[in-house]
Amino acid sequence: FRSTTAAFDLTAAVTKQGLMLQRLDFTARRVLWFLAFCSESESKMLEARRIILMHEDWPKPRFAAAWEAAGVLDPLLVCGNPAPACVWHIPYLVARCQLKMLNRTDVTSSCALTRPDCLSLLSEAAKLEETTLPTGDNDDVEVEQKGTLEALWQLHRIRLKMLRASGLAWEGIKDFAWGKASADGWTQQEMLEDCWKALRELASWQPRLSWSLSCLRIRHEESKRNFKEAISLMESAFVFPKGFPSSGGLVTTRISKPEPQAEDYERPGPELPDTWLSYVRRRRKHDASRAKVFFA
């Protein structure tokens, strides 16, 4: 699965970052083909198989032609239970790379995916992540594990971004809604509220996503020029521990660099830098060698 420079057009990437993104996308798409057609999880990757078959120039491993000509064979990769993390991480990685390429002008892809296709890969990656979670040994005890929720988070974050961006049709993302539509169907405002609801619930399940949710809400209020609410959200995003140094309602932090004292430079301690201690030990060893010569 090694990605070579001859596999894609180097002139399509004009920056080093764009070239790295192109190489990562190329390698991830080859591994995705392997998981979708040569692994035990191929029955759970229907969306990935559909997207791959839509592109004739999809990157494949070198043995792909022989594998397709042989017909139905036993899977080369048996995932087991629970499945390895690569089962969900590879389609997630392909979707993220393709979305980044759509937002950049310095790099292009040989078989670019549409945004709805990227959302389909993220949705499938979120379902595949459930197969990688360990299950409880006792059937009577319900073990609830949420996982990283990274694919679900990016799915609804991209939905929110598409809804807020001008010129992007929002009807194509109705299939990935968090809740259920009303009898009259979805409206753009209802879809926007559905995205925020999904992000809030995901942040409540995974505490590490709370900061990302706060950043999204701050940017949202800033775009509406509601600066007072944005500042309020920014203040609530920072939580200071009890006893944190403050003066007059203002948080103060002092950063100081310890310096060794001349009279106790040989005494090791927390205030003595390691570099100075190493110099002292080398100097002491040198002086001891000189003393041996003088008093031998």
Side-chain angles (χ1 to χ4, degrees), residues 1 3 7-8 17-33 57-60 90-102 107-113 118 121:
F1 294 103
S3 174
F8 43 83
Q17 186 179 7
L19 177 61
M20 295 297 294
L21 178 61
Q22 198 177 35
R23 292 174 65 93
L24 178 61
D25 171 72
F26 179 83
T27 304
R29 282 185 292 160
R30 295 182 71 181
V31 180
L32 181 62
W33 184 94
D57 54 349
W58 189 276
K60 301 177 183 179
I90 293 300
Y92 162 81
L93 192 60
V94 172
R96 291 300 305 276
C97 289
Q98 288 292 321
L99 287 170
K100 285 185 176 296
M101 287 185 178
L102 290 174
V107 62
T108 57
S109 177
S110 58
C111 53
L113 303 183
C118 293
L121 286 178

Side-chain angles (χ1 to χ4, degrees), residues 39-96:
S39 71
E40 191 182 29
S41 300
E42 61 180 14
S43 60
K44 303 176 183 178
M45 306 182 71
L46 300 180
E47 283 297 318
R49 293 169 63 92
R50 178 187 66 82
I51 294 172
I52 291 174
L53 293 175
M54 288 174 54
H55 298 82
E56 297 180 356
D57 54 349
W58 189 276
K60 301 177 183 179
R62 293 184 177 180
F63 64 89
W67 179 267
E68 293 173 342
V72 180
L73 298 174
D74 294 333
L76 296 178
L77 176 64
V78 179
C79 298
N81 188 20
C86 66
V87 172
W88 74 268
H89 196 264
I90 293 300
Y92 162 81
L93 192 60
V94 172
R96 291 300 305 276

Side-chain angles (χ1 to χ4, degrees), residues 189-209:
Q189 183 61 29
E190 290 175 349
M191 185 65 68
L192 187 64
E193 294 175 358
D194 179 79
C195 292
W196 284 114
K197 180 182 179 181
L199 294 174
R200 284 195 297 267
E201 292 194 19
L202 291 174
S204 65
W205 294 345
Q206 187 64 264
R208 69 176 183 83
L209 298 175

Side-chain angles (χ1 to χ4, degrees), residues 56-296:
E56 297 180 356
D57 54 349
W58 189 276
K60 301 177 183 179
R62 293 184 177 180
F63 64 89
W67 179 267
E68 293 173 342
V72 180
L73 298 174
D74 294 333
L76 296 178
L77 176 64
V78 179
C79 298
N81 188 20
C86 66
V87 172
W88 74 268
H89 196 264
I90 293 300
Y92 162 81
L93 192 60
V94 172
R96 291 300 305 276
C97 289
Q98 288 292 321
L99 287 170
K100 285 185 176 296
M101 287 185 178
L102 290 174
N103 297 329
R104 296 175 65 98
T105 58
D106 60 338
V107 62
T108 57
S109 177
S110 58
C111 53
L113 303 183
T114 61
R115 285 183 172 84
D117 287 342
C118 293
L119 294 180
S120 298
L121 286 178
L122 289 175
S123 178
E124 192 167 68
K127 297 176 182 178
L128 289 171
E129 186 182 8
E130 298 177 359
T131 65
T132 65
L133 301 177
T135 57
D137 298 333
N138 189 1
D139 296 336
D140 299 333
V141 180
E142 182 180 358
V143 180
E144 183 181 7
Q145 296 192 7
K146 301 297 184 181
T148 62
L149 301 178
E150 181 65 25
L152 266 180
W153 175 265
Q154 294 297 335
L155 170 64
H156 296 289
R157 186 187 69 84
I158 297 300
R159 288 178 60 228
L160 179 65
K161 184 177 180 180
M162 291 176 64
L163 283 169
R164 294 173 55 187
S166 60
L168 294 177
W170 61 272
E171 290 83 357
I173 63 176
K174 294 187 293 185
D175 297 336
F176 310 101
W178 181 260
K180 295 182 179 180
S182 59
D184 299 332
W186 289 102
T187 63
Q188 188 171 2
Q189 183 61 29
E190 290 175 349
M191 185 65 68
L192 187 64
E193 294 175 358
D194 179 79
C195 292
W196 284 114
K197 180 182 179 181
L199 294 174
R200 284 195 297 267
E201 292 194 19
L202 291 174
S204 65
W205 294 345
Q206 187 64 264
R208 69 176 183 83
L209 298 175
S210 300
W211 172 256
S212 299
L213 177 62
S214 299
C215 294
L216 289 176
R217 294 179 62 191
I218 292 170
R219 292 297 184 186
H220 179 63
E221 296 297 335
E222 184 183 4
S223 64
K224 296 192 303 182
R225 303 189 66 84
N226 190 1
F227 300 114
K228 183 177 181 181
E229 183 65 21
I231 294 175
S232 177
L233 290 172
M234 187 178 298
E235 291 177 349
S236 62
F238 293 92
V239 179
F240 297 97
K242 185 179 180 180
F244 199 81
S246 61
S247 176
L250 300 176
V251 177
T252 58
T253 304
R254 178 184 299 176
I255 302 177
S256 59
K257 180 181 179 181
E259 297 182 358
Q261 301 294 331
E263 58 273 13
D264 57 350
Y265 71 95
E266 292 186 357
R267 180 178 61 85
E271 71 281 359
L272 194 62
D274 293 338
T275 55
W276 184 255
L277 181 61
S278 178
Y279 167 77
V280 170
R281 289 176 177 174
R282 291 197 305 270
R283 187 67 184 178
R284 184 184 300 166
K285 185 176 181 180
H286 175 71
D287 293 340
S289 301
R290 292 177 60 202
K292 289 181 180 179
V293 174
F294 292 152
F295 296 100

